[in-house]
Amino acid sequence: NGNDDLQSVAESLLPAEHVEIATLLESLPVEERLSLWEALPDDRKIDVLVEMRSDPREVLISATEDDQWSKILTGIDAEDLLELMDSLPAKLMELAFQALDDQQQGYFRDATQFPDEQIGHWISHDVLAMPLNAKVRDGLRRIRRNVPQHCDTIFLINRSGQFSAAVKLTKVFGAPEHLPLVELTEEFIPVIKGSDDSTTASLQVQRSGFAALPVVDDTNKLLGRVDILSASELVNENYERQVMATAGMDEDEDLFAPVAKSARSRALWLGINLLTAFLASWFIGLFEATLQQVVALAVLMPVVASMGGIAGSQTLTLIVRGLALGQVTGANLKALMTKELKVGGVNGVIWALVIGIVAFFWFSDPLLGLVICLAIFMNILAAALAGVLLPVVLDKLKIDPALSGSVILTTVTDIVGFVAFLGLGSLFLL
Amino acid sequence: NGNDDLQSVAESLLPAEHVEIATLLESLPVEERLSLWEALPDDRKIDVLVEMRSDPREVLISATEDDQWSKILTGIDAEDLLELMDSLPAKLMELAFQALDDQQQGYFRDATQFPDEQIGHWISHDVLAMPLNAKVRDGLRRIRRNVPQHCDTIFLINRSGQFSAAVKLTKVFGAPEHLPLVELTEEFIPVIKGSDDSTTASLQVQRSGFAALPVVDDTNKLLGRVDILSASELVNENYERQVMATAGMDEDEDLFAPVAKSARSRALWLGINLLTAFLASWFIGLFEATLQQVVALAVLMPVVASMGGIAGSQTLTLIVRGLALGQVTGANLKALMTKELKVGGVNGVIWALVIGIVAFFWFSDPLLGLVICLAIFMNILAAALAGVLLPVVLDKLKIDPALSGSVILTTVTDIVGFVAFLGLGSLFLL
C-alpha cells in the first residue's frame, strides 16, 4: 500500500536534519513531493520549509489547505518568517505574523527595515548581552541558563545599548567570580553594520575566527549577531546565484517546477538572446551579396564567432570574480586591461595562424586564409577589451555582470567577428 | 620615496587579517605585488601565502631568494604545508618538511595518505580529546590549558583511540567536578570518515550546528576534526571552481599572471573549442550548394544555433546543480527528462513560431519561415534531451560536468541546429 510506504518513509526521516528532508523534497516530482509533505508531522513543516529554495517551497505552500496552517505555524519565529516572507501569500503572512509573540514581532519589524541584500535583514537576536559592569559571576549565571548555537562570546553593552566589547566564554569559565567581565575582553573583534552588504559581511564572519560577530546600527547600538552558520548559508546562496545566473536562471529554480512556470521563467532569457541573435543576423545580412559569391565564408562563420566568444568569456569570468572579491578597482584597471590585451594578442596570433592555415588548405584559397586570420585576431582582441570593460561598466551601473555579462559579451564578439570576417571577405575575395 | 611609502603601507597592513593581505597581493600587478611581498615581515609570510590562490602564490614563491626561506619557514605547521605543497618546488618542500617538529611531520604524513579531494587531507589535529573515563575535573583542567578556535566539544575516545562521544564545553562548565564526562555526552553528533568527499563532508560540518565534527578512519579511530572555518573555505573553493570551470579556467587563475603563462593556460580551452567549431563548420560545408542558392540560410544560421545553445545550457545548469546537491538520481531521471522535454516543447513551439514569422516577413518567403520554425523546434528539444543526459553521463564517467558539459552541449546543439536547418532548407527551398 503506497500510503503506508509513505508513512514509513516519513517516519524514517524523523531523525534526519531539516536540510536533508528539504533536499529530498526538492528532488521529488511534484506528486510524490506533495504526498511526502502531507505525511510529515506538522511541527516539523516550518523548519523544513525554511531550508527549501523558494520555487519548490511555494509548490508546497500553495498545495496546503487553509485550515492546516494554524497548526503548522505554531512555534514559528521571526527568523523563520523572514526566510519565508517572499513565499507566503498576504493572508498567510498575516496569520504567521500573528503567531509570533510580541518580542518576535518586534524583531521581525526591525529586520524588515533592512532590504534582504543587507545583513541587518538576517541577524539573530539570540545574543548573550550583558551590561558593561557585569562580573564573571553574572556571566556564569547567564551562560548556565542557555547558550545559543554558534555562540562563543558575551557581548558587553553600555547603558544606551551600544556595543562595546566581547568576552570569550572560555575566558569567563576559568576566571574568579568577582572579576568584572571588562577585564577579560578580546583585544579585537570585527563589528558589522546592519546596512553592510550581506555577502561581504558573511565572508567577514567566516574569516573572523569567532563563531558570530556583533551587528550594530549607525549609532553603534547592538542589533544582534550573525553566526557562522547563517553566514555560510548566505555565502553559499550567493555562489549558487552566480552559477545559475550564467544560464539566466535564479537560484530558486525548482528541479520539478510546473511546466508552464518553468517555461515562462526561461522564456525571458531565450527572448533576450533571440534579440541579440537577430542583431547578429542583421549584420550578416549586410553581406548577402558576398556570401552568395564566397560560400566558404558562410561555412567558416561559426569558427570566427565562437573563438571570440570563448576568449571573451574567459576574460569576463576572471574580471567578474575579481570584482566580487574587491580585487578589480580603478587603481589596477589599466594594468589589467594591458595584461588581458597582451594575452589576447598572443592567443590571437597563434589561433589566427592555425585557423588561417587550416582554411587555406581546406578551401585551397590563400586569400580566404588571410581573411579569417585577420578576423580571428581582431575578434580575440575585441573580446579581451570587452571582457575587461563590460563587467566593470555593468558593475558601475549596479547591474549584476554575472547575469547579463555573457549575453552582452557574446553579442559584441558575434558582431565584431561577423563584420570583420565578412567585411574583409568583401574587400579581398570579391 | 617609493620604498618608504611601501614600508608604511606594509606597516599599516600589520593589524589586518592574513586574508586581507592575501587579497590585496592578488589584486596587484606583479611588480607592485613583489615589492609589497618583500616589505612584509618574514613571520607573516607563511600565513599570507596559505590564504592565497595557487597561481599568484607561486609568483611570490619563485621570486623569493633561497637564503630567505629558512626565516620564512620558521613556525610553519603541517596544515600550512598541506595547503602549500602543490606550490613549492621539491627543494623547498624538503626544507619546509624539515622545519616541522616530529609530531607535525607525522600529521603531514597522515594527511597525505588521503588525496586532496578527500576530507582526511584537510583535518586539524588540534582536538580536545580525552579518555572515556575522564571526569569533569579533568575536562576543566584540559580546557583551561587551551581551547582551539572553533571548538565547542570535547571528544571522548576509548583505549584504542576510537571516537565514542562528544561533550559540549558549555555543559562541562556547569557540572559537578567529580561527574564522569560520559554522563554529559551529546545524544547525536555526525561522524565523518577521512575518505569522505571533502565538499560533502564540509557541507555536513556547516549544517551540523557544531563548531567542528570528528573525523575517523575505517576502524573508527579518531584522526582529528574539521572545523566550520576549514569547511567554509573548502565549500567556497568548490563553488569558485565551478564558476571558473564554466569558462574553462581553474580557481587558481591569477588576475596578473605572466602573459605567457596565462595565454598558455587559456590556449587549451580555445583549442578544444576550435575543434568543435571546425566540426560544426564541416557539417555546414555539407550544404555548400544549398547555401549558395539560398543565402538567407547563412544569414539565419546563428539564430538556430544560439537558441539551441541557450535552451540547452539552462537545462544543463539545473541538472549540474542537482547532481552536485545529490538531487538528481536514477530514481527521478525519467521524470526529470519528461519535464524538461515538456518545457522544451512549450518554449520550442513558442519561439519556433516567433522566429518562423519573423523570417517569413524578413525574407518574404513562407517556406523559409517553415524551415526555420521546424529547425528551431527540433533544436530546442534536442537541447533539452542533451541538457539532461549529458551531465548525467559525464558524472557517471567521473568527468566534471561543470567543466566539459557546456562545450560538448554547444557542439551538439550547433550540429543538430545546422543540420536540421540546412537539411530542411535543402529539402524545401531548392
Side-chain angles (χ1 to χ4, degrees):
Chain A
N1 178 307
N3 241 359
D4 280 0
D5 280 2
L6 206 67
Q7 200 60 46
S8 72
V9 169
E11 270 161 30
S12 76
L13 279 172
L14 290 188
E17 304 285 330
H18 305 134
V19 180
E20 289 161 24
I21 303 179
T23 304
L24 177 62
L25 282 168
E26 290 181 356
S27 76
L28 291 174
V30 175
E31 206 173 316
E32 286 92 327
R33 185 188 290 168
L34 290 177
S35 312
L36 178 57
W37 170 245
E38 275 159 30
L40 280 181
D42 283 337
D43 60 350
R44 297 203 65 177
K45 284 184 174 168
I46 282 296
D47 292 329
V48 169
L49 279 183
V50 164
E51 299 295 343
M52 291 181 74
R53 290 170 179 79
S54 307
D55 286 2
R57 172 202 288 161
E58 283 159 24
V59 171
L60 299 183
I61 289 175
S62 63
T64 304
E65 304 287 339
D66 283 358
D67 57 357
Q68 303 193 292
W69 281 105
S70 62
K71 254 191 280 173
I72 295 176
L73 290 170
T74 311
I76 190 173
D77 65 20
E79 279 177 68
D80 296 336
L81 189 54
L82 284 162
E83 182 64 43
L84 297 179
M85 60 185 287
D86 290 333
S87 303
L88 291 175
K91 218 175 71 186
L92 281 180
M93 193 62 211
E94 184 54 33
L95 197 66
F97 185 74
Q98 295 309 330
L100 301 176
D101 64 26
D102 285 356
Q103 194 188 36
Q104 294 289 325
Q105 288 187 351
Y107 290 162
F108 180 80
R109 277 198 215 94
D110 290 348
T112 48
Q113 285 173 8
F114 297 94
D116 63 4
E117 68 270 18
Q118 292 181 2
I119 195 70
H121 194 86
W122 303 109
I123 56 179
S124 149
H125 294 86
D126 205 359
V127 289
L128 297 178
M130 307 204 70
L132 261 176
N133 59 3
K135 301 235 156 75
V136 166
R137 186 190 313 117
D138 310 313
L140 288 172
R141 204 176 304 132
R142 176 71 188 77
I143 292 167
R144 277 186 195 128
R145 219 159 61 218
N146 164 42
V147 176
Q149 242 186 18
H150 293 300
C151 177
D152 60 353
T153 50
I154 293 177
F155 295 156
L156 297 183
I157 52 178
N158 68 15
R159 286 171 191 217
S160 331
Q162 290 169 314
F163 174 81
S164 47
V167 182
K168 282 235 172 190
L169 297 187
T170 46
K171 283 206 184 155
V172 178
F173 287 115
E177 295 227 323
H178 58 274
L179 197 74
L181 286 174
V182 277
E183 312 236 332
L184 300 171
T185 55
E186 291 294 300
E187 222 172 285
F188 177 71
I189 182 169
V191 175
I192 291 175
K193 280 243 165 84
S195 56
D196 284 353
D197 172 72
S198 63
T199 307
T200 313
S202 298
L203 284 170
Q204 208 180 348
V205 173
Q206 283 190 336
R207 288 167 188 159
S208 67
F210 290 93
L213 293 183
V215 181
V216 300
D217 69 9
D218 289 336
T219 65
N220 206 33
K221 211 187 117 207
L222 182 69
L223 298 174
R225 65 189 191 106
V226 179
D227 70 28
I228 192 163
L229 176 58
S230 313
S232 298
E233 285 174 347
L234 288 167
V235 169
N236 292 358
E237 206 176 297
N238 187 55
Y239 275 117
E240 202 176 292
R241 186 177 306 129
Q242 224 178 313
V243 171
M244 299 298 279
T246 58
M249 294 193 282
D250 65 40
E251 82 278 14
D252 289 319
E253 179 85 16
D254 182 355
L255 212 47
F256 285 104
V259 171
K261 181 177 170 141
S262 179
R264 199 169 49 233
S265 82
R266 297 190 204 174
L268 177 67
W269 194 243
L270 285 163
I272 292 172
N273 180 71
L274 179 60
L275 288 181
T276 73
F278 269 135
L279 188 64
S281 284
W282 184 81
F283 276 97
I284 298 174
L286 298 179
F287 301 94
E288 256 185 80
T290 311
L291 281 168
Q292 201 139 26
Q293 290 182 55
V294 193
V295 77
L297 291 173
V299 173
L300 290 172
M301 280 192 324
V303 174
V304 181
S306 96
M307 289 304 275
I310 294 288
S313 78
Q314 292 185 319
T315 303
L316 180 80
T317 305
L318 190 69
I319 303 293
V320 167
R321 180 184 70 170
L323 284 166
L325 296 170
Q327 290 182 330
V328 172
T329 60
N332 62 5
L333 188 60
K334 217 181 119 195
L336 254 178
M337 176 77 81
T338 311
K339 175 232 160 190
E340 284 299 317
L341 282 176
K342 281 184 190 165
V343 173
V346 171
N347 268 320
V349 167
I350 293 171
W351 295 108
L353 288 174
V354 169
I355 295 167
I357 291 167
V358 171
F360 164 45
F361 282 108
W362 186 350
F363 293 94
S364 315
D365 183 343
L367 274 180
L368 179 67
L370 178 68
V371 164
I372 200 167
C373 176
L374 291 175
I376 293 277
F377 181 73
M378 287 164 65
N379 204 18
I380 290 183
L381 272 194
L385 200 70
V388 175
L389 286 184
L390 187 65
V392 172
V393 171
L394 289 174
D395 192 61
K396 276 257 185 303
L397 300 173
K398 309 265 173 211
I399 299 170
D400 179 9
L403 175 61
S404 43
S406 73
V407 71
I408 305 181
L409 180 92
T410 320
T411 311
V412 171
T413 53
D414 276 2
I415 292 174
V416 170
F418 292 139
V419 170
F421 186 45
L422 300 177
L424 288 167
S426 308
L427 282 178
F428 286 90
L429 303 175
L430 286 191
Chain B
N1 179 306
N3 241 0
D4 281 359
D5 280 2
L6 206 67
Q7 200 62 45
S8 71
V9 169
E11 270 162 29
S12 75
L13 279 173
L14 290 189
E17 304 285 330
H18 305 133
V19 180
E20 289 161 24
I21 303 179
T23 304
L24 177 62
L25 282 167
E26 290 181 356
S27 76
L28 291 174
V30 176
E31 205 173 316
E32 286 93 327
R33 185 188 289 168
L34 290 177
S35 312
L36 179 56
W37 170 247
E38 275 161 31
L40 281 181
D42 283 337
D43 61 351
R44 297 203 64 177
K45 283 183 174 169
I46 280 297
D47 292 328
V48 169
L49 279 184
V50 164
E51 299 295 343
M52 291 180 75
R53 291 172 178 77
S54 307
D55 285 3
R57 172 202 288 161
E58 283 159 23
V59 170
L60 299 183
I61 289 175
S62 64
T64 304
E65 304 286 339
D66 283 358
D67 56 358
Q68 302 193 292
W69 280 105
S70 63
K71 253 192 280 173
I72 295 176
L73 290 170
T74 312
I76 191 172
D77 64 20
E79 279 178 69
D80 296 337
L81 188 54
L82 284 163
E83 182 65 42
L84 297 179
M85 60 185 285
D86 290 333
S87 303
L88 292 175
K91 218 176 71 186
L92 281 180
M93 194 62 212
E94 185 53 33
L95 198 65
F97 184 74
Q98 296 309 331
L100 301 177
D101 63 26
D102 285 356
Q103 194 188 35
Q104 294 288 325
Q105 289 186 351
Y107 291 161
F108 180 81
R109 276 198 216 94
D110 290 347
T112 47
Q113 286 172 8
F114 297 94
D116 63 4
E117 68 271 17
Q118 292 182 1
I119 194 70
H121 193 87
W122 303 110
I123 57 180
S124 149
H125 295 86
D126 205 359
V127 290
L128 297 179
M130 306 204 72
L132 261 177
N133 58 3
K135 299 237 156 73
V136 166
R137 185 189 316 116
D138 310 313
L140 288 172
R141 204 175 306 131
R142 176 70 188 78
I143 292 167
R144 277 188 196 126
R145 219 159 60 218
N146 164 42
V147 175
Q149 243 186 16
H150 293 300
C151 177
D152 60 353
T153 51
I154 293 177
F155 295 156
L156 298 182
I157 50 178
N158 67 16
R159 284 169 192 217
S160 330
Q162 289 169 314
F163 175 80
S164 47
V167 182
K168 280 236 172 190
L169 297 187
T170 47
K171 283 206 183 154
V172 177
F173 286 116
E177 297 227 322
H178 57 276
L179 197 73
L181 285 175
V182 277
E183 311 235 333
L184 300 170
T185 54
E186 291 294 301
E187 221 171 288
F188 177 72
I189 182 169
V191 176
I192 291 175
K193 281 240 165 83
S195 56
D196 284 353
D197 171 71
S198 65
T199 307
T200 312
S202 298
L203 284 170
Q204 207 180 349
V205 172
Q206 283 190 336
R207 288 169 187 158
S208 67
F210 291 92
L213 294 182
V215 181
V216 300
D217 69 10
D218 289 334
T219 65
N220 205 34
K221 210 186 119 209
L222 182 69
L223 298 174
R225 65 189 191 107
V226 179
D227 71 28
I228 191 163
L229 175 58
S230 314
S232 298
E233 284 173 348
L234 287 168
V235 169
N236 293 358
E237 206 177 297
N238 187 56
Y239 274 116
E240 202 175 292
R241 185 177 306 129
Q242 224 178 313
V243 171
M244 299 298 279
T246 59
M249 294 193 282
D250 65 41
E251 81 279 13
D252 289 320
E253 180 84 16
D254 182 354
L255 212 45
F256 285 104
V259 172
K261 181 176 170 141
S262 180
R264 199 168 50 233
S265 83
R266 298 191 203 173
L268 176 67
W269 193 243
L270 285 162
I272 292 172
N273 180 71
L274 179 60
L275 288 180
T276 73
F278 269 135
L279 188 64
S281 285
W282 184 80
F283 276 97
I284 299 174
L286 298 179
F287 301 94
E288 256 186 78
T290 310
L291 281 168
Q292 202 138 26
Q293 288 182 55
V294 193
V295 77
L297 291 173
V299 174
L300 290 172
M301 280 191 325
V303 174
V304 181
S306 97
M307 289 304 275
I310 295 289
S313 79
Q314 292 186 320
T315 303
L316 180 80
T317 306
L318 190 69
I319 303 293
V320 168
R321 181 184 69 171
L323 284 167
L325 296 170
Q327 290 183 331
V328 173
T329 60
N332 62 5
L333 188 60
K334 217 181 119 195
L336 255 179
M337 175 77 80
T338 311
K339 176 231 160 190
E340 284 299 316
L341 281 176
K342 282 184 189 164
V343 174
V346 171
N347 268 320
V349 167
I350 292 172
W351 295 108
L353 288 175
V354 169
I355 295 167
I357 291 168
V358 171
F360 164 45
F361 282 108
W362 186 350
F363 293 94
S364 315
D365 184 345
L367 274 180
L368 179 66
L370 178 67
V371 164
I372 199 168
C373 177
L374 291 174
I376 293 278
F377 181 72
M378 287 164 66
N379 205 16
I380 290 184
L381 272 194
L385 200 70
V388 175
L389 286 184
L390 187 64
V392 172
V393 171
L394 289 174
D395 192 61
K396 276 257 186 305
L397 300 174
K398 311 264 173 213
I399 300 171
D400 179 10
L403 175 60
S404 43
S406 73
V407 72
I408 305 181
L409 180 91
T410 319
T411 311
V412 172
T413 54
D414 275 3
I415 292 175
V416 170
F418 292 140
V419 170
F421 186 45
L422 301 178
L424 288 167
S426 307
L427 282 179
F428 286 89
L429 303 175
L430 287 191

